[in-house]
Amino acid sequence: MATTTISTFTALGGKLVVNDDLGGTDNTVSNNVTGATSGKIFIVQINNLLNTDPMVLKIKDASSATPSTTTTNGAGTPELMFYAPAGKTISYVIPKGHAYAAGGSM
């Protein structure tokens, strides 16, 4: 299953993005998971229970994010990076939110 975006109906958030395709050596990119809109990210939760290796979730403020090994002109540099230890679930809270303008891709 790929990325799913769910609109919420409370004042606590506008979208819930679930990607259950991450992990291992798969560098699957999920483009524009928030839609081509601006907004804020307040919480990121990574469930890495089934993986025996740690992982890093990278989020870029862009309508598309292609895995890149270069940081020339910031092309391969994500705005946010979150570490998840092997066999653990971890949450990161951003109290004032992290604003994005073009859409969130991971």
Side-chain angles (χ1 to χ4, degrees), residues 60 68 70-79:
K60 186 143 180 78
S68 175
T70 180
T71 56
T72 305
N73 297 324
T77 307
E79 278 73 28

Side-chain angles (χ1 to χ4, degrees), residues 9 29 59:
F9 299 103
V29 173
I59 300 176

Side-chain angles (χ1 to χ4, degrees), residues 45-105:
Q45 183 179 55
I46 304 169
N47 180 336
N48 201 26
L49 289 172
L50 298 179
N51 290 320
T52 57
D53 293 318
M55 67 162 292
V56 175
L57 173 65
K58 300 175 184 179
I59 300 176
K60 186 143 180 78
D61 182 2
S63 59
S64 67
T66 302
S68 175
T69 57
T70 180
T71 56
T72 305
N73 297 324
T77 307
E79 278 73 28
L80 299 169
M81 292 176 60
F82 300 97
Y83 175 81
K88 303 285 183 188
T89 296
I90 190 165
S91 297
Y92 294 92
V93 176
I94 307 166
K96 293 186 180 185
H98 177 82
Y100 59 87
S105 295

